[in-house]
């Protein structure tokens, strides 16, 4: 009999399993951690509730945690990112309870979160802090038994730091996003490539010669802008942070305020973690056929209620494209309902880069378990040795060797004596 679940269709499981195994081939670091976890069982007896995008890579993380002895349940961290075949395989082949259906409505999304919390976790794992938030708002009776949590993304870390500042956070959380092996690679190269992949799958447009406006030049924005340029697009960056704006300019991008760029962009991509970066005043200026999409965590970066309100009519013209006709007759096309484009219309980040993020997740979970009761209640960084360990294993798997300091160099770097 299958473990508890709410997934689209268990008959999809076989295809899901092939895809999970396909991803595993590109996740050598996580596989090595899984093999060690199988022997050492560092998570024995831990109930773990994870709210993550249900993808092939997440399936391999869940298998790793399970191999370590954890009793894992999974719920989706976004209503559109679930891969239904993967959810079915996790239930059928790996006996991991999953509550996630691609396209679920808001009520189902929250019901699924609730069911994941009914597991009474000792450790939470979040991508966007929805589990932690739900726990602190509506399930406070569960807080006592929680040892700690981990958080995967920038937006989640921002929410948690706000909770910490307001003295609301009730257990320690490790900000996996802040590990170097996570944001330097996943946010930049993962989001960069998979957002362009999502854009192309959703629309089938030619990138060459397009005016692409990237809103936000953080880790994700750098990746998206660079990859769009690589495909021949003419890229403009918009920013609110002067340092990042200079960086974009010196990286060779046009930099302009959104009020200006709105008039000439063919495609607008938000990656800020902020709210209403594209608003009615911008939609009004857009060219006929302009496309707006988002790869930031929540669907608030584009003012969708504002877009709906000003439109004369709306038509679904492709699976991931809704066309809004403006009062001036021009059409603005919203992709993937303004949700994470790379996970809605494509498959999210390639496994090769999630290997590092999820290796850091697995090791951060082991760290939280080992330090049960010892961690201060706040948002913690990932210990430097985890960054070092994951990088070394990844380099080895890539067949890349690096140099070691000579004893003379080590002395030189540690002493202040030698000068001019
Ligand atoms: N799609 C994915 O798979 C994926 C992966 C990782 C992170 N994310 C999400 O992407 C978002 C960005 O993450 P990041 O790591 O790049 O964050 P970051 O903090 O490095 O960068 C965000 C940038 O946006 C800028 N910004 C904020 N408001 C702005 C505005 N109104 N106009 C222009 N720029 C503005 C900030 O100054 C900053 O430079 C977050 O929501 C994060 O959770 C998504």
């Amino acid at each position: 009999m299958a473990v508890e679940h709410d997934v689209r269709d268990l008959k999809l499981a076989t295809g899901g399993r092939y895809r999970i195994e396909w991803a595993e081939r590109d996740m050598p670091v996580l596989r090595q951690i899984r093999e060690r976890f199988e022997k050492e069982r560092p998570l024995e007896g831990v109930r773990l509730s994870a709210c993550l995008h249900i993808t092939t890579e997440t399936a391999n993380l869940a298998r790793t945690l399970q191999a370590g002895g954890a009793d894992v349940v999974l719920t989706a961290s976004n209503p559109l990112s679930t891969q239904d075949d993967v959810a079915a395989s996790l239930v059928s082949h790996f006996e991991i309870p999953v509550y996630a259906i691609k396209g679920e409505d808001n009520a189902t999304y929250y019901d699924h979160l609730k069911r994941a919390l009914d597991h009474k976790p000792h450790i939470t794992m979040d991508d966007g802090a929805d589990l932690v938030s739900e726990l602190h708002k509506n399930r406070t009776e569960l807080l006592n038994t929680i040892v700690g949590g981990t958080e995967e993304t920038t937006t989640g870390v921002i929410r948690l730091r706000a909770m910490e500042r307001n003295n609301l956070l009730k257990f320690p959380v490790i900000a996996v996003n802040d590990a170097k092996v996570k944001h330097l690679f996943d946010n930049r190269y993962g989001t960069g490539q998979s957002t362009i992949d999502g854009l192309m799958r959703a629309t089938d447009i030619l990138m060459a010669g397009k005016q692409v406006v990237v809103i936000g030049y953080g880790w994700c924005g750098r990746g998206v802008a660079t990859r769009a340029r690589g495909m021949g697009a003419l890229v403009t960056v918009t920013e609110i942070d002067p340092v990042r704006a200079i960086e974009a300019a010196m990286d060779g991008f046009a930099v302009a305020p959104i009020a200006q760029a709105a008039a000439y962009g063919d495609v607008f991509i938000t990656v800020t973690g902020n709210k209403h970066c594209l608003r009615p005043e911008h939609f009004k200026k857009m060219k006929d056929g302009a496309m707006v999409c988002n790869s930031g965590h929540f669907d608030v970066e584009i003012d969708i209620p504002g877009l709906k309100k000003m439109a004369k009519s709306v038509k679904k013209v492709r699976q991931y494209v809704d066309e809004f006709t403006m009062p001036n007759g021009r059409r603005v096309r919203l992709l993937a309902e303004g949700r994470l484009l790379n996970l809605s219309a494509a498959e999210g980040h390639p496994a090769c880069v999630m290997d590092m993020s999820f290796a850091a997740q697995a090791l951060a979970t082991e760290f939280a378990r080992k330090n049960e009761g010892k961690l201060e209640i706040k948002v913690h960084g990932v210990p430097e040795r985890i960054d070092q360990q994951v990088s070394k294993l990844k380099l080895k798997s890539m067949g890349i060797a690096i140099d070691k300091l000579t004893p003379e160099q080590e002395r030189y770097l540690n002493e202040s004596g030698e000068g001019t």
Side-chain angles (χ1 to χ4, degrees):
M1 220 181 48
V3 291
E4 231 197 280
H5 62 273
D6 189 18
V7 303
R8 167 90 53 209
D9 184 356
L10 290 182
K11 289 206 268 312
L12 300 170
T14 306
R17 182 172 198 155
Y18 288 144
R19 294 205 313 113
I20 292 169
E21 287 167 358
W22 177 261
E24 190 202 5
R25 285 179 235 193
D26 249 350
M27 304 184 87
V29 179
L30 192 63
R31 188 169 57 240
Q32 283 181 57
I33 294 171
R34 191 174 84 219
E35 285 160 10
R36 175 170 71 76
F37 274 16
E38 264 160 17
K39 288 190 209 113
E40 297 177 7
R41 307 278 290 175
L43 304 176
E44 193 70 65
V46 169
R47 283 194 303 274
L48 194 151
S49 300
C51 178
L52 301 172
H53 300 294
I54 310 298
T55 63
T56 53
E57 295 80 18
T58 298
N60 282 300
L61 172 63
R63 290 171 67 190
T64 306
L65 301 167
Q66 187 185 49
D71 178 4
V72 184
V73 303
L74 283 173
T75 185
S77 58
N78 184 290
L80 265 190
S81 62
T82 299
Q83 298 173 3
D84 289 321
D85 55 348
V86 170
S89 173
L90 280 166
V91 171
S92 302
H93 302 129
F94 301 101
E95 297 188 1
I96 295 178
V98 181
Y99 310 106
I101 300 172
K102 187 175 173 90
E104 64 196 15
D105 60 19
N106 241 29
T108 312
Y109 178 81
Y110 278 97
D111 180 57
H112 285 163
L113 277 188
K114 188 174 158 295
R115 289 175 75 175
L117 289 177
D118 288 344
H119 189 51
K120 301 198 174 89
H122 301 113
I123 293 184
T124 61
M125 190 173 278
D126 253 315
D127 186 331
D130 275 351
L131 267 191
V132 169
S133 167
E134 184 66 11
L135 264 167
H136 285 72
K137 277 191 204 140
N138 300 320
R139 302 297 293 273
T140 47
E141 80 281 5
L142 298 173
L143 288 170
N144 277 343
T145 43
I146 296 186
V147 175
T150 64
E151 171 53 56
E152 169 76 7
T153 198
T154 315
T155 282
V157 173
I158 292 171
R159 291 178 85 188
L160 290 164
R161 292 231 157 90
M163 286 174 76
E164 181 189 325
R165 267 197 312 278
N166 296 320
N167 290 322
L168 295 173
L169 189 66
K170 299 291 179 217
F171 57 84
V173 185
I174 300 169
V176 174
N177 181 71
D178 293 359
K180 291 185 203 132
V181 290
K182 201 281 182 180
H183 65 267
L184 284 175
F185 305 97
D186 166 320
N187 298 26
R188 184 164 36 171
Y189 303 111
T191 313
Q193 178 171 318
S194 61
T195 300
I196 303 301
D197 183 14
L199 176 61
M200 286 171 21
R201 291 200 208 191
T203 62
D204 198 29
I205 57 165
L206 181 77
M207 294 295 289
K210 288 281 180 306
Q211 290 281 358
V212 172
V213 180
V214 178
I215 298 149
Y217 199 66
W219 293 108
C220 295
R222 290 175 178 108
V224 174
T226 310
R227 292 307 178 249
R229 175 164 64 190
M231 300 286 290
L234 302 158
V235 180
T236 298
V237 166
T238 76
E239 253 298 343
I240 45 116
D241 178 330
V243 177
R244 289 194 160 166
I246 298 176
E247 201 185 345
M250 292 206 182
D251 284 344
F253 296 107
V255 178
I258 186 61
Q260 256 174 40
Y264 63 80
D266 296 305
V267 179
F268 297 82
I269 307 173
T270 52
V271 261
T272 66
N274 203 350
K275 193 178 172 179
H276 293 180
C277 302
L278 286 176
R279 302 180 290 277
E281 70 215 64
H282 307 130
F283 305 136
K284 223 184 271 169
K285 292 187 177 169
M286 287 180 187
K287 295 198 291 199
D288 184 36
M291 294 176 178
V292 296
C293 60
N294 167 52
S295 248
H297 189 78
F298 286 120
D299 63 345
V300 297
E301 304 213 6
I302 301 168
D303 179 1
I304 299 169
L307 180 61
K308 284 186 178 154
K309 209 163 146 202
M310 72 190 286
K312 281 197 310 193
S313 62
V314 188
K315 193 164 120 195
K316 189 166 214 51
V317 292
R318 280 171 73 94
Q319 186 181 5
Y320 293 109
V321 187
D322 291 313
E323 189 173 83
F324 292 75
T325 303
M326 300 288 106
N328 59 17
R330 296 185 203 146
R331 290 157 299 178
V332 172
R333 295 170 177 149
L334 172 69
L335 310 188
E337 299 169 21
R339 297 196 186 276
L340 294 157
L341 181 67
N342 60 332
L343 281 140
S344 305
E347 294 171 64
H349 300 358
C352 175
V353 79
M354 292 313 293
D355 188 27
M356 298 164 80
S357 307
F358 284 167
Q361 272 286 2
L363 296 178
T365 310
E366 183 184 32
F367 173 80
R369 173 72 195 281
K370 271 198 183 139
N371 290 284
E372 197 172 320
K374 289 188 225 152
L375 293 176
E376 206 185 319
I377 297 181
K378 62 173 201 169
V379 181
H380 293 259
V382 171
E384 173 66 21
R385 66 178 163 71
I386 291 184
D387 266 329
Q388 292 292 319
Q389 193 184 341
V390 174
S391 316
K392 282 182 188 157
L393 290 172
K394 191 68 180 176
L395 273 178
K396 199 166 166 215
S397 77
M398 295 165 85
I400 298 174
I402 60 169
D403 289 317
K404 273 203 176 81
L405 288 173
T406 64
E408 183 194 23
Q409 288 169 339
E410 250 184 82
R411 266 197 313 279
Y412 180 75
L413 293 174
N414 285 316
E415 288 167 5
S416 55
E418 261 184 74
T420 315

